[in-house]
Amino acid sequence: MEGISITILMLIYGVICSILTSSMGVDTLSPTQLIKDGDTIISSGGMFELGFFSPGNPKNRYLGIWYKNVSNGAIVWVANRDTPLNTTSGILKVSSNGILEIVSVGNTNTTIWSSSNVSSKKVIINPVAQLLDNGNLVIREKSRTIWQSFDYPGDTYLTGMKIGKDLITGIDRWMVSWKSPNDPSPGEYVIWMDTNGFPQLLERQGSVLHTRFAPWNGLSVIGLSSVIGNVMPVMNDFVMNEKEIYFTISVDGSAISKTYLDPDGNIKVMSWVDSTQTWQTILATKPNDTCAQYGLCGPYGTCNGGNVPVCSCMEGFEPKRAEEWNARNWSSGCVPRTPLGCGDGNVFKVISGVKLPDTRSSWYNLSINLGECKMECSRNCSCTAYAISNITSGGNGCLLWFGDLMDVRESDGTEDLYFKIALSKFTIERNKSLGKPLGQGGFGSVYKGVLEDGREIAVKRLSKSSRQGIDEFKNEVRCIAKLQHRNLVKLLGYCIQGDETMLIYEYMANKSLDLTIFDVSRSLMLDWPQRFHIIHGIARGLLYLHQDSRLRVIHRDLKAANVLLDNDMNPKISDFGLARRFKGYETEANTNKVVGTYGYIAPEYAVHGLFSVKSDVFSFGVLVLEIVSGKKNRGFSHKEQRDNLLGHVSLAYAYSTIVKIICPKLRFNFPKSDHHAEDRPTMSSVVVMLDHESILPPPKQPAFYTEVSSCENVELSMTPTHNSVNNVTITTLNGR
């Protein structure tokens, strides 16, 4: 009887197990079901499978998820990485309070792994575990997800996962490599999103920071990957808001793909190829990339794998320990040649095309532009550098660094880094590249210097080959020395000694106007209120010259290159070498030598040699159109016309398409001007118009209608007429 009883019980147990197994859904697991070693569940689309497996050592059993139809490298997630089973007696179940558990069935029925972040004290009704077709294992209470495997990635990232932090729940998602290809226990390498300062991806080897991937720049994460071949594009994105901060990757056009952190710390984006039954690497980090090592060149050092040696110091810095650098040990980094102060003795230098420095000691404001970013860094004595955080946002997004600049890499990105250095006293250093605001002008070389009291200065040095001579030098001194106005550049002094002839001006931090409005990236800094502010300032400066100063001065070479911008983008008219002074009762004059810059010269001046305050007004009108349109009058071309900018604007006005000439960033009603001297307003009228938004009269067709030459310097001899001056010559001087 005993034997019969035991047999009946075993039969009943077998029937119960059979019922439980047969009632299990294809992709789900409920509290009344369990998965034994050898059983699996499959996602609804047949893409993924979940069950027990042994990667290399047949004695160790793990619960994992893998691509069902992939023959190798298919494991994408492992539950019990730290605690493998050493038998095949393990089961997976869902408790009534919604906790997944791996239990080693035996005398003690030991739980070796559980989804323990779900509180056992919380009442959960009818929880169900489900394997989704994207590889995510979720526990749901009706439609609410209470746990998911995507929150706990291993060495594999699948499309739909997030690397980063949930700021509401506190969940931090990172990748951890396997110890070896056959051992899924946690390896040495971890990739995570560090949210100290501006968020960035970091990789550590054990407790040592191994690699840093530059922060998201609006397009990609610099340093994360390098192109292996011309294959399917990899899409990535970065999200930062009050709820979460994370990074995502996806492969466009691939049904089976993964991002894999191998046991050696290399990252590979891979796609499965059915025809060859292999994984194809689309993107990967370079395993032998010298510059990938974090902080290889130390503070203020830059790494460039194409150079020998790979490390160098930033401009204005020198090796901290020269003997170590000579021995190829760069970890001590660089120190400034002159310590940073807290005043006007500091300037910014730029490195282009870099991976930005470590942002853990940074501050950011995503709503301010590059100019405002510079001002923020200038005002803060602890700020060491600044940059734009998002190269796709129209120039907005500010990053400031405080403390040492670490892990800068050259020729590995698209960002510009502006870093602060101190200039030595009593030194004048020349920047040999044009457009730094130092360079070459019609007068000669332009240098930058610092006075003993720390004030920055610009020094113009007359060169022997200059097209301007001592007469223009003296004329500039006479004109500007007696003029004081907020919209005129200030002459601080001059020098005539032996062969040396120099003019010393206040330094303008934002260079000349032409370098801003005609540059694609810098022009993004100027919205309409800023452009209007510049136009208004130029108008006030001209009004002072024409009417309010002790002298009546005609500039005769007003152009974008001769308007300088200070630290706050205030315009200041410069270069008075060609200016003419009038007595109080004089309003115009004739000359047989027409000077100025082609494209800005008024018609009556160019043809008849007649100049007046209205000559400057013509130049001002051209300048306004350039500021509004972002295009140069000289060299302007249109596919359907041979007009210069003035002719193009006139036609656009006639055909009611004037809005098309406006810089695309701007949408406003712009000021208009005319070409006939008697019709042009005075500068006092212009200022009133700008101040009170007066309705302007319609423009007439411009006199200079087509572009006749693209040459830099133009010299024309005119045939005399009854109104002309014999032997009139137009000479183009490019000034500063």
Side-chain angles (χ1 to χ4, degrees):
M1 292 296 293
E2 254 181 60
I4 295 174
S5 299
I6 292 173
T7 302
I8 293 173
L9 288 173
M10 291 182 67
L11 286 172
I12 293 172
Y13 177 76
V15 170
I16 292 172
C17 288
S18 176
I19 292 172
L20 288 175
T21 303
S22 63
S23 65
M24 185 183 302
V26 175
D27 62 345
T28 60
L29 181 69
S30 70
T32 61
Q33 300 168 321
L34 56 84
I35 295 178
K36 298 182 298 182
D37 197 318
D39 296 336
T40 63
I41 61 173
I42 301 170
S43 63
S44 61
M47 183 68 73
F48 290 94
E49 189 170 17
L50 177 147
F52 290 93
F53 73 100
S54 291
N57 185 345
K59 294 182 180 179
N60 290 337
R61 300 293 287 171
Y62 299 88
L63 180 80
I65 299 172
W66 55 86
Y67 276 110
K68 179 171 175 53
N69 298 315
V70 173
S71 58
N72 60 77
I75 303 295
V76 298
W77 184 77
V78 181
N80 55 320
R81 298 182 66 176
D82 293 301
T83 53
L85 287 157
N86 54 16
T87 70
T88 58
S89 63
I91 63 169
L92 175 69
K93 65 177 184 178
V94 181
S95 67
S96 59
N97 59 355
I99 296 178
L100 271 177
E101 295 178 326
I102 299 175
V103 178
S104 178
V105 178
N107 294 331
T108 59
N109 288 341
T110 306
T111 298
I112 65 166
W113 176 89
S114 69
S115 56
S116 57
N117 74 310
V118 178
S119 173
S120 59
K121 296 180 181 179
K122 184 180 294 185
V123 177
I124 304 295
I125 300 174
N126 298 326
V128 173
Q130 182 179 19
L131 179 62
L132 304 182
D133 218 35
N134 61 357
N136 192 11
L137 177 63
V138 301
I139 303 174
R140 287 178 174 161
E141 181 188 29
K142 295 183 179 179
S143 61
R144 183 171 70 96
T145 298
I146 58 177
W147 182 92
Q148 60 178 353
S149 62
F150 270 19
D151 283 337
Y152 305 92
D155 68 334
T156 301
Y157 174 99
L158 298 175
T159 299
M161 281 185 173
K162 301 173 181 179
I163 301 297
K165 293 184 179 180
D166 187 314
L167 303 178
I168 304 299
T169 65
I171 293 175
D172 198 355
R173 311 173 187 96
W174 61 76
M175 295 176 67
V176 184
S177 68
W178 284 22
K179 185 169 286 186
S180 73
N182 293 321
D183 184 355
S185 60
E188 288 190 293
Y189 294 93
V190 177
I191 291 179
W192 81 100
M193 177 73 73
D194 193 298
T195 56
N196 295 300
F198 192 74
Q200 60 185 349
L201 290 174
L202 300 176
E203 180 179 357
R204 71 171 188 262
Q205 181 181 12
S207 60
V208 178
L209 184 55
H210 179 268
T211 302
R212 182 188 64 89
F213 308 103
W216 176 258
N217 66 6
L219 293 175
S220 62
V221 170
I222 301 299
L224 178 62
S225 53
S226 56
V227 177
I228 299 298
N230 185 20
V231 290
M232 291 169 290
V234 174
M235 317 296 289
N236 47 40
D237 196 13
F238 173 72
V239 173
M240 180 168 62
N241 54 45
E242 67 279 2
K243 294 183 179 180
E244 52 187 346
I245 301 172
Y246 64 86
F247 175 72
T248 64
I249 307 173
S250 62
V251 179
D252 189 22
S254 176
I256 301 178
S257 64
K258 65 179 182 178
T259 300
Y260 171 55
L261 175 61
D262 73 20
D264 296 321
N266 303 308
I267 303 173
K268 300 175 182 177
V269 181
M270 311 174 80
S271 176
W272 178 254
V273 182
D274 278 328
S275 59
T276 60
Q277 290 292 292
T278 58
W279 287 101
Q280 179 182 27
T281 300
I282 302 172
L283 299 174
T285 51
K286 300 175 183 177
N288 299 316
D289 185 0
T290 303
C291 288
Q293 179 183 334
Y294 178 82
L296 177 70
C297 302
Y300 298 103
T302 63
C303 190
N304 189 330
N307 292 343
V308 179
V310 296
C311 289
S312 59
C313 290
M314 294 181 179
E315 183 180 353
F317 292 78
E318 59 189 5
K320 184 176 182 179
R321 298 187 179 95
E323 67 281 2
E324 292 181 0
W325 275 62
N326 293 335
R328 299 295 190 266
N329 177 5
W330 304 287
S331 59
S332 59
C334 308
V335 292
R337 292 193 179 99
T338 302
L340 282 175
C342 191
D344 295 331
N346 301 325
V347 296
F348 288 100
K349 298 292 183 179
V350 63
I351 310 178
S352 297
V354 299
K355 181 178 83 170
L356 293 178
D358 189 341
T359 57
R360 287 179 294 174
S361 62
S362 71
W363 170 91
Y364 59 92
N365 185 325
L366 303 183
S367 63
I368 64 176
N369 61 33
L370 185 65
E372 294 166 322
C373 193
K374 178 179 180 179
M375 286 188 283
E376 289 289 342
C377 192
S378 298
R379 286 195 289 256
N380 194 310
C381 297
S382 300
C383 181
T384 52
Y386 71 94
I388 284 297
S389 64
N390 191 331
I391 60 177
T392 68
S393 64
N396 284 335
C398 173
L399 277 175
L400 300 184
W401 279 264
F402 300 88
D404 293 343
L405 303 180
M406 287 290 294
D407 200 44
V408 178
R409 179 169 180 168
E410 296 183 75
S411 304
D412 195 36
T414 56
E415 287 87 358
D416 291 339
L417 175 68
Y418 300 86
F419 62 98
K420 190 183 291 184
I421 67 170
L423 293 180
S424 301
K425 293 182 179 181
F426 309 107
T427 61
I428 298 176
E429 62 176 88
R430 178 179 179 182
N431 189 326
K432 296 182 180 179
S433 60
L434 293 176
K436 296 293 185 181
L438 311 180
Q440 292 290 126
F443 184 88
S445 300
V446 183
Y447 298 83
K448 183 177 181 180
V450 180
L451 297 179
E452 186 175 4
D453 60 7
R455 282 183 296 166
E456 294 176 322
I457 56 173
V459 180
K460 293 170 61 176
R461 182 184 184 190
L462 180 65
S463 68
K464 295 180 181 179
S465 60
S466 171
R467 294 186 300 273
Q468 299 183 38
I470 195 67
D471 290 338
E472 285 82 1
F473 171 84
K474 292 179 179 178
N475 188 59
E476 181 149 7
V477 172
R478 291 191 193 102
C479 282
I480 199 170
K482 298 181 180 180
L483 302 175
Q484 296 290 332
H485 190 270
R486 69 178 64 183
N487 295 116
L488 303 183
V489 71
K490 187 175 182 180
L491 181 68
L492 302 178
Y494 64 92
C495 172
I496 303 178
Q497 184 174 359
D499 295 333
E500 291 291 351
T501 307
M502 292 184 286
L503 294 169
I504 303 172
Y505 295 96
E506 59 178 331
Y507 175 68
M508 297 288 103
N510 280 308
K511 313 176 184 180
S512 55
L513 179 61
D514 62 323
L515 298 177
T516 297
I517 61 174
F518 301 137
D519 182 86
V520 175
S521 59
R522 286 180 59 84
S523 64
L524 295 175
M525 296 166 49
L526 294 180
D527 54 16
W528 170 237
Q530 289 172 310
R531 293 183 194 229
F532 184 88
H533 173 72
I534 291 170
I535 293 170
H536 199 182
I538 298 169
R540 286 188 172 277
L542 282 179
L543 175 61
Y544 173 79
L545 293 176
H546 294 173
Q547 179 175 304
D548 296 335
S549 68
R550 289 180 293 174
L551 304 172
R552 176 169 290 177
V553 177
I554 313 300
H555 190 279
R556 297 205 300 175
D557 196 24
L558 182 66
K559 57 183 178 180
N562 286 344
V563 175
L564 305 182
L565 301 173
D566 69 10
N567 195 56
D568 298 317
M569 302 300 284
N570 295 312
K572 303 204 176 191
I573 300 170
S574 68
D575 285 287
F576 287 79
L578 305 181
R580 283 289 298 268
R581 295 175 298 163
F582 279 12
K583 296 178 181 179
Y585 57 86
E586 293 177 323
T587 58
E588 62 183 25
N590 285 334
T591 181
N592 60 2
K593 183 180 181 182
V594 176
V595 294
T597 301
Y598 182 76
Y600 293 92
I601 301 174
E604 71 279 4
Y605 181 36
V607 177
H608 306 302
L610 182 66
F611 66 92
S612 66
V613 293
K614 297 296 184 73
S615 307
D616 282 348
V617 175
F618 179 89
S619 303
F620 173 78
V622 174
L623 187 52
V624 168
L625 291 179
E626 290 184 329
I627 294 171
V628 170
S629 67
K631 302 181 185 299
K632 297 180 181 180
N633 186 40
R634 288 191 63 190
F636 174 84
S637 62
H638 190 277
K639 62 182 179 180
E640 298 176 357
Q641 308 163 4
R642 294 191 63 230
D643 302 335
N644 61 8
L645 179 61
L646 304 188
H648 179 63
V649 170
S650 179
L651 286 177
Y653 183 87
Y655 288 103
S656 300
T657 58
I658 196 69
V659 72
K660 292 184 178 180
I661 70 104
I662 303 170
C663 179
K665 186 182 178 183
L666 311 176
R667 290 295 180 266
F668 56 89
N669 294 321
F670 52 91
K672 311 173 183 70
S673 58
D674 198 5
H675 83 268
H676 298 291
E678 64 272 16
D679 293 334
R680 288 177 218 139
T682 62
M683 291 315 301
S684 58
S685 300
V686 170
V687 170
V688 171
M689 293 173 190
L690 293 173
D691 282 336
H692 301 287
E693 300 182 357
S694 302
I695 297 176
L696 304 183
K700 299 179 182 178
Q701 180 175 304
F704 289 164
Y705 198 78
T706 59
E707 182 69 60
V708 297
S709 174
S710 60
C711 298
E712 187 66 21
N713 297 317
V714 180
E715 188 170 286
L716 300 175
S717 295
M718 311 299 298
T719 303
T721 66
H722 65 284
N723 286 326
S724 66
V725 177
N726 290 337
N727 300 320
V728 168
T729 301
I730 298 179
T731 304
T732 299
L733 295 176
N734 289 318
R736 182 184 173 279

